[in-house]
Amino acid sequence: MTKDNWIYTYYQGIKNGKFTVGKWIELVYEYIIRGLEEKRFFYDGKKANEAIDWIEEHCYHTEGPLAPGKISLELWQKAFFSCIYGLVDKDGLRQFREIFLVVGRKNGKTKLASALGEYEFRSQEYGSRVFCIAPKLEQADLVYNDIWTMVTLDPEYQKLKEYCSEKNAQRLKIHDDSELPRHRQTDLAVPATNSNVKKIAFSAKKSDGFNPSLCICDEVASWEGDAGLKQYEVLKSGMGARPEGILLSCTTSGYINDSIYDELFKRATRFLLGDSKETKLLPFLYVIDDISKWNDINELRKSNPNLGVSVSVDYMLEEIAVAEGSLSKKSEFITKYANLKQNSSLAWIESSVIEAATGEQIDPEDFRGCYCVAGFDLSRTTDLTAATCVIEKNGELYVLAKFFLPSERIEEAQSLDGVPYGIYVQRGLLQPSGSNLIDYNDVFNWYRELVEEYEIYPLKVGYDRYSAAYLVQQMEAYGFHLDDVFQGYNLDPCIRELEGYLKDNKIHIGDNDLLKIHLYNSALKISTEKGKSKLVKIRPAAHIDGTAALLDAITVRQKWYGEIGEQLKNEGK
């Protein structure tokens, strides 16, 4: 182990149980260690330790019982700064430029951001530009003022200020003060290095043309939906001219839905599950794993890495006691201390699990004479429709899936979705259906073909209750037994069952790459109030029709298994 390599030290503490962390933190450090071992990026200890040493020498507590003492970084914080400054690419440039830190209340989040801001402002490149961003100036002020207070508490600044204020007999300054940091009306500045810190409120237009070396986006969970998303994208695009620019988003969890926080959290979890090609994003998600243990002090260590330091165990136990006696306080506690958003969305299935479910083409002929369950998701008449059946054989589940899309829309959809639908038509996974609207007779005929050509018999068929009534009537008239499925939080047990089959490698989708894409696109929206989850898209434009249809089938299988389970086993067939 390299001396003072805080990343390795922290990782070893995680693996040997010294530090209690959640699955997302363990995954991010496993990703980093694996990347170093595979030489996808490298560790520059000099850069990492220079940043840490400077921060511990020049940054100060500005409030609370530790003020005005120097900051002493905890190991998780040293590892955090080491990841930002010490991980470099083959050219020695910063590997990760988009940093997402989610950590519980009172864990020193704002202090970390301020320390990073002061370090970039006072010790980095000529022309450094630091921006503190928030929806309103008052909120941006928190980090901005903290940076300035830290500057004024530094003895180095105080000595330089005293030196620069010396005057001659004519009361004129006798020393150049251009290296002295100053608080001007619109910014903090060091004229000698042409560096400054600014606070700005949301304004996509005013943010255009900025060339930031560091953007601090504080409490992004409170950034309102569309405005927050647009502001974030403007800031991100503005960093293109800085090869080592940093976009730092730090926050506790929050309450606003469809916000930049939701977008970052979904991107982060998908990245950590190995389903993303991103190389510049580095998320640190300090959240609990088990919502049922929201009041367990050991589980809360996962969302509060500074427990016992900046937030005492006694304080946390008192907050737990208050939350246990009030539903509203419980909701607030889970959001701000357990760090679980009331309705948070996160990636669902790991890429390795999804890939393990794939294999050789599944031939319906191999299941002649078998019973099964089925499910279909009709979506809109101009969009993808999915139909599935799930067949059990020798204790394993096999999925047959067919997709339908209007023939006149295939080329357009291929361009919009970036999915090779034309190839999937050739492979028989996708069937052109109708011209501009899907002909639902094609869905019916696919199921009828399974029965009449392959003697595969769906005993129950799950469908979205909003499906076309005439298709339901047509299916029932043929003899299929249909059961409507409401896809909400009520399906949490079925989601967990499907997840279990996937993780145990008990379900197989063959070479159906379109269904595989839909599994990758699937996320879960978790309600901490209900303690349940429901199926959602990983991003607004993604398709999950195949997953929804598969879940419909699993739902009727679970619901009716007591009645039809023996037939579904297909023993001896």
Side-chain angles (χ1 to χ4, degrees), residues 306-319:
N306 248 24
L307 188 62
V309 183
S310 61
V311 54
S312 72
V313 172
D314 287 344
Y315 174 86
M316 191 65 73
L317 290 173
E318 181 61 27
E319 290 295 294

Side-chain angles (χ1 to χ4, degrees), residues 376 462-469 472 483-487 490 552:
F376 59 82
Y463 69 96
D464 188 327
R465 62 176 55 177
Y466 300 109
S467 295
V472 173
D483 194 358
D484 68 322
V485 176
F486 175 68
Q487 290 210 356
N490 57 301
D552 285 340

Side-chain angles (χ1 to χ4, degrees), residues 176-448:
D176 177 16
D177 66 353
S178 63
E179 293 185 0
L180 182 69
R182 59 205 62 196
H183 194 314
R184 303 189 298 202
Q185 185 173 355
T186 59
D187 64 0
L188 314 178
V190 178
T193 60
N194 190 31
S195 299
N196 64 26
V197 181
K198 288 189 175 183
K199 56 180 175 180
I200 59 172
F202 277 8
S203 174
K205 290 183 179 179
K206 290 182 179 178
S207 300
D208 272 334
F210 282 2
N211 184 20
S213 49
L214 169 65
C215 282
I216 300 173
C217 306
D218 194 22
E219 290 296 356
V220 291
S222 68
W223 289 23
E224 293 287 350
D226 191 53
L229 286 163
K230 288 180 178 177
Q231 181 67 65
Y232 189 87
E233 287 307 313
V234 168
L235 295 170
K236 187 177 177 182
S237 64
M239 302 188 74
R242 299 257 189 184
E244 294 201 280
I246 304 170
L247 179 54
L248 170 67
S249 300
C250 50
T251 189
T252 57
S253 186
Y255 304 95
I256 296 171
N257 291 321
D258 301 319
S259 64
I260 183 58
Y261 175 86
D262 288 334
E263 180 65 20
L264 284 170
F265 208 94
K266 284 188 282 188
R267 280 179 57 202
T269 52
R270 181 55 71 199
F271 168 78
L272 293 173
L273 290 176
D275 307 334
S276 168
K277 295 180 180 179
E278 296 198 56
T279 59
K280 298 302 179 183
L281 172 68
L282 193 61
F284 299 88
L285 310 179
Y286 285 94
V287 300
I288 68 169
D289 291 326
D290 189 346
I291 181 62
S292 68
K293 296 180 179 179
W294 68 271
N295 54 354
D296 183 324
I297 196 69
N298 289 318
E299 183 72 9
L300 287 166
R301 293 184 186 279
K302 298 176 181 179
S303 55
N304 297 274
N306 248 24
L307 188 62
V309 183
S310 61
V311 54
S312 72
V313 172
D314 287 344
Y315 174 86
M316 191 65 73
L317 290 173
E318 181 61 27
E319 290 295 294
I320 291 171
V322 172
E324 286 175 334
S326 165
L327 285 176
S328 62
K329 290 295 184 181
K330 176 183 175 181
S331 175
E332 181 182 5
F333 184 93
I334 289 173
T335 302
K336 296 302 182 182
Y337 291 106
N339 240 352
L340 288 180
K341 190 169 177 283
Q342 292 302 286
N343 290 289
S344 62
S345 298
L346 66 160
W348 183 20
I349 303 295
E350 295 178 39
S351 61
S352 59
V353 172
I354 295 173
E355 293 298 331
T358 63
E360 297 295 321
Q361 180 181 4
I362 296 175
D363 187 352
E365 189 63 48
D366 294 335
F367 302 95
R368 182 173 292 278
C370 287
Y371 295 106
C372 68
V373 290
F376 59 82
D377 184 83
L378 298 188
S379 189
R380 299 195 305 272
T381 56
T382 59
D383 211 341
L384 267 176
T385 280
T388 64
C389 78
V390 178
I391 309 166
E392 182 177 350
K393 197 169 186 180
N394 299 322
E396 307 275 312
L397 299 181
Y398 297 86
V399 182
L400 297 174
K402 190 81 168 184
F403 294 84
F404 306 86
L405 190 63
S407 58
E408 296 297 320
R409 285 215 63 242
I410 290 176
E411 189 173 335
E412 177 191 0
Q414 186 164 282
S415 176
L416 289 173
D417 300 342
V419 175
Y421 290 123
I423 293 175
Y424 295 150
V425 171
Q426 295 172 18
R427 290 174 55 189
L429 304 177
L430 175 66
Q431 178 177 328
S433 177
S435 295
N436 294 291
L437 300 176
I438 286 178
D439 183 353
Y440 290 137
N441 284 308
D442 292 331
V443 179
F444 166 70
N445 288 330
W446 184 69
Y447 282 118
R448 185 172 65 177

Side-chain angles (χ1 to χ4, degrees), residues 59 160 268 462 498 521 529 548:
C59 295
L160 182 59
L498 175 56
N521 288 343
E529 183 179 349

